[in-house]
Amino acid sequence: MTDSLTILSETRVFGGWLKRVRHQSAAVDCAMTFAIFLPPQVEAGASVPVLYWLSGLTCTDENFTQKAGAFRVAAELGLAIVAPDTSPRGDGVPGDPDGAWDFGQGAGFYVDATEEPWARNYRMHDYVTRELPALVEAGFPVTGSRSIAGHSMGGHGALVCALKHPGFFKAVSAFSPIVNPAAVPWGEKAFGRYLGSDRERWLEWDACALIATAAERLPILIDQGDRDGFLETQLKPQALAAAAELAGHPLTLRIQPGYDHSYFFISTFIEDHLRHHAAALLA
């Protein structure tokens, strides 16, 4: 492990280890915490591929690790899982000026902000696609084989990361993603502040726009509950389905009857997503 990483806790789970790690981030200019699950195969000397999980609004690294129920299958498959925080945090990090929950700390939106006062800290895209993988691959027994997934705001982040970095990730999936943030209230609020008033610039961070010119046709798996309270106003998965069909991009969109936006939904279908990722990572 590199000297720049501090282990905050270690928990034994399904024969592997769940560790919480603290480090000083250059990308977002503050201390950051991430969780990493290392499956039991690493104790036999193996290096394993990594699934990066991006969580949603208000979440930290702990939401996925405590609620998703992913570690039994990850241990079976031999997958490491890395779950970063959703934004920079700390007394010096600006938040929502009105104290709202859908912007600022806990709501980084996985973009690289260009506007003040957020440009110094809110560079979560750079963090999850460059700094964090480099730290994980230097500090833990993992390979350079990576995939990415996420939920809601994190689903948006996973799609954008995969579409903007062809070849870097071998698989992508999402639960209830914000697929068209440039055209929904959550995204308009965040993008207007992080990226400025030019809506053309917002499209650089919008999966529906990026999919049209994607350099790699990486198959996308999305699960969406039909009783999700944000479905019609914020998520609108049909917009991505239409864009994917027009671009000829492979997309599996599963509308799951009776499910909402919660981690109960995620825990029900997380095994399908892990096996989707393993099929690419272990090929």
Side-chain angles (χ1 to χ4, degrees):
M1 183 179 303
T2 63
D3 293 337
S4 61
L5 304 180
T6 300
I7 301 297
L8 301 178
S9 65
E10 296 180 296
T11 304
R12 194 73 159 158
V13 55
F14 289 106
W17 289 96
L18 175 63
K19 302 172 186 278
R20 294 191 79 213
V21 184
R22 190 80 162 165
H23 72 101
Q24 187 66 31
S25 168
V28 297
D29 197 24
C30 67
M32 290 290 284
T33 299
F34 67 89
I36 180 168
F37 170 72
L38 295 171
Q41 289 82 353
V42 302
E43 294 191 343
S47 292
V48 296
V50 185
L51 166 62
Y52 289 85
W53 173 271
L54 307 184
S55 290
L57 289 163
T58 75
C59 291
T60 69
D61 63 287
E62 293 187 290
N63 294 75
F64 178 84
T65 60
Q66 294 180 8
K67 298 178 179 180
F71 299 138
R72 177 186 60 82
V73 177
E76 172 198 328
L77 296 171
L79 298 181
I81 301 176
V82 171
D85 203 346
T86 55
S87 79
R89 296 183 192 269
D91 292 340
V93 176
D96 190 296
D98 301 317
W101 58 271
D102 58 354
F103 181 81
Q105 295 191 40
F109 267 84
Y110 304 102
V111 301
D112 289 340
T114 57
E115 304 301 300
E116 299 300 336
W118 299 285
R120 172 183 166 186
N121 300 109
Y122 286 87
R123 300 186 57 81
M124 286 298 295
H125 182 81
D126 185 40
Y127 178 70
V128 301
T129 61
R130 184 188 60 81
E131 185 178 35
L132 182 59
L135 284 170
V136 168
E137 289 165 25
F140 297 95
V142 301
T143 69
S145 187
R146 315 168 199 90
S147 68
I148 193 163
H151 172 229
S152 194
M153 177 186 72
H156 142 73
L159 294 171
V160 168
C161 287
L163 291 167
K164 288 176 76 75
H165 296 274
F168 194 75
F169 300 104
K170 292 189 173 181
V172 60
S173 73
F175 288 86
S176 314
I178 306 169
V179 302
N180 193 192
V184 300
W186 277 340
E188 289 176 331
K189 177 178 180 177
F191 285 11
R193 292 179 176 182
Y194 290 142
L195 304 173
S197 60
D198 183 355
R199 286 177 174 258
E200 287 297 311
R201 292 171 57 196
W202 297 6
L203 299 181
E204 299 173 18
W205 305 97
D206 187 297
C208 285
L210 291 170
I211 206 167
T213 57
E216 179 185 28
R217 297 304 182 192
L218 198 64
I220 298 170
L221 170 63
I222 291 177
D223 274 308
Q224 171 66 62
D226 72 354
R227 292 193 181 181
D228 189 321
F230 303 113
L231 179 58
E232 299 301 327
T233 57
Q234 306 283 7
L235 307 179
K236 301 184 177 181
Q238 291 80 8
L240 186 64
E245 183 176 9
L246 189 62
H249 196 112
L251 167 65
T252 300
L253 171 61
R254 308 192 307 186
I255 304 299
Q256 303 291 3
Y259 287 90
D260 59 16
H261 200 71
S262 72
Y263 266 87
F264 295 112
F265 169 49
I266 294 170
S267 66
T268 302
F269 298 103
I270 191 65
E271 181 171 351
D272 291 354
H273 285 245
L274 292 173
R275 295 193 183 279
H276 166 78
H277 288 269
L281 292 169
L282 301 172

